[in-house]
Amino acid sequence: MTVGAPSLPPVFVVGEKQWGQVAEYSGYGVVHAGSTRVVIGQEQPDFWATFIEMVWPGITPERRQSALTAFGGELDPARFADFFISHEISHLSHGEGWDEAPQSFWAQELFANLGMLGYITEVESDHITALDAFVEATWSSSVKWPVQELERIREPVEGNGDAGVCNYVWFEVGLIVIAKRLWGAAGAEGFRRLRDILVGPVLSTAQIADALADVDPEVGQAIRNWPHFSFDKKS
């Protein structure tokens, strides 16, 4: 392990009827972890289909075709659900973070996505092409989400139904874009650097951006410009 192996709680794989008995979020299929459990849905949740319906009209035909080709003709983002177990396990490495500070939540999500990308890249790299195509296509969509400010990332997911979960997924997609850039720039060292930030003194969003800019200036700028950022593929 890059930052030391966390103590792993039991993994609960449950159907929709049992979800309320073990999950901490009401929206079925939102993979999450706490000190006592990792929870993942057994069936494909409805919000993935809703998410595609919302973002698809705002994606260019070229990006649509690229995504469909990478997926073998049928776009099914739920195929990545199992990878979010590595995302949730990564969360266990940063501890409780900075209580309820709004900047802590998005920084923790960036860290967990970085851990997930590291796992996929090094262990199951045959899935990278499809993940990249899905992330790039959906992040490019022109759909306007009700909640967009980075420090408000946690707001949509509870009590707003599938539309709120989809708004939250949009945040995760953007953070995966940034995590991919950070992993490409620094690999495991970037993962360690962000973990050190999260277990240190509380930083503001601007201070986190400055700290990550030392690893990759474009990552720092992307955080400052959220959600209006893009990365040159050639860089």
Side-chain angles (χ1 to χ4, degrees):
M1 286 289 292
T2 297
V3 296
S7 177
L8 299 180
V11 177
F12 291 80
V13 183
V14 296
E16 190 165 4
K17 291 182 179 179
Q18 294 78 39
W19 186 259
Q21 300 173 24
V22 297
E24 296 181 5
Y25 294 102
S26 60
Y28 177 70
V30 179
V31 185
H32 59 280
S35 59
T36 62
R37 68 197 64 190
V38 176
V39 186
I40 185 172
Q42 189 173 29
E43 297 98 22
Q44 178 171 323
D46 293 339
F47 70 77
W48 281 121
T50 304
F51 184 73
I52 295 301
E53 290 173 4
M54 295 177 75
V55 302
W56 201 246
I59 301 173
T60 65
E62 292 79 14
R63 285 190 179 273
R64 292 186 197 180
Q65 187 55 55
S66 176
L68 287 170
T69 299
F71 273 78
E74 183 178 357
L75 195 61
D76 178 21
R79 67 188 283 184
F80 300 125
D82 288 350
F83 290 128
F84 276 87
I85 294 178
S86 61
H87 170 111
E88 297 303 330
I89 290 173
S90 295
H91 273 309
L92 302 177
S93 297
H94 61 62
E96 293 301 318
W98 304 325
D99 297 319
E100 295 299 312
Q103 65 272 25
S104 71
F105 193 86
W106 72 258
Q108 291 170 8
E109 292 305 304
L110 176 61
F111 175 81
N113 284 329
L114 197 58
M116 179 181 71
L117 279 171
Y119 170 78
I120 297 174
T121 301
E122 296 192 351
V123 181
E124 300 198 45
S125 59
D126 53 323
H127 293 277
I128 282 291
T129 299
L131 178 63
D132 284 350
F134 169 70
V135 166
E136 291 171 6
T138 56
W139 187 245
S140 73
S141 177
S142 60
V143 65
K144 301 299 182 185
W145 299 96
V147 181
Q148 297 190 38
E149 295 88 346
L150 193 53
E151 293 189 355
R152 296 175 62 196
I153 179 176
R154 72 167 72 229
E155 289 183 25
V157 75
E158 275 296 339
N160 296 299
D162 281 354
V165 173
C166 291
N167 195 159
Y168 175 77
V169 169
W170 169 79
F171 277 103
E172 290 288 2
V173 168
L175 290 172
I176 290 173
V177 175
I178 294 176
K180 184 172 185 291
R181 171 77 189 203
L182 187 56
W183 184 266
E189 181 55 38
F191 187 68
R192 282 191 292 268
R193 180 67 175 272
L194 186 50
R195 193 259 187 178
D196 289 345
I197 290 171
L198 287 169
V199 300
V202 177
L203 301 181
S204 67
T205 290
Q207 289 172 321
I208 299 169
D210 289 343
L212 293 179
D214 290 340
V215 180
D216 184 327
E218 290 201 34
V219 167
Q221 196 60 46
I223 292 169
R224 297 185 195 100
N225 292 346
W226 177 280
H228 306 294
F229 72 87
S230 61
F231 297 121
D232 183 349
K233 287 187 175 183
K234 295 182 291 184
S235 62

